[in-house]
Amino acid sequence: MMAGFGQRTRGYPRSRGRMGSWTGTDRATLAIIGVVCAIAGFFTLGIVLGPAAVVCGWLAMGRTWSGARPIPALVALVLGAIDTLTAIMWLAGGGL
């Protein structure tokens, strides 16, 4: 049987309650991924892994500077920023 116009057979899989609700485990995982990206970025592909670490750290912090921040998320954010700036300086110096 086919559903008619305006009648759906099931609800949206990404309902309002599931979108954007990061649990503590998800944030901790993002923080660890960010730290790993930041550390790996010092040795290879810093221009790619640095911004990835910054994004993972920012999402793990809950996209805000206020409130309690987990230490790995802050470490990922800071190391990712240092990694990105170092890669940009290396690329700018290598082009001359």
Side-chain angles (χ1 to χ4, degrees), residues 18-93:
R18 289 183 54 197
M19 289 297 290
S21 61
W22 294 82
T23 63
T25 306
D26 294 336
R27 288 185 180 173
T29 303
L30 273 175
I32 297 299
I33 290 171
V35 169
V36 168
C37 285
I39 292 172
F42 281 114
F43 301 106
T44 181
L45 292 174
I47 197 70
V48 175
L49 294 176
V54 170
V55 168
C56 286
W58 182 255
L59 290 175
M61 285 175 38
R63 295 183 226 141
T64 182
W65 287 106
S66 63
R69 291 182 294 274
I71 298 299
L74 191 60
V75 168
L77 188 72
V78 170
L79 286 181
I82 292 170
D83 192 19
T84 303
L85 291 175
T86 304
I88 289 172
M89 289 182 354
W90 182 77
L91 286 174

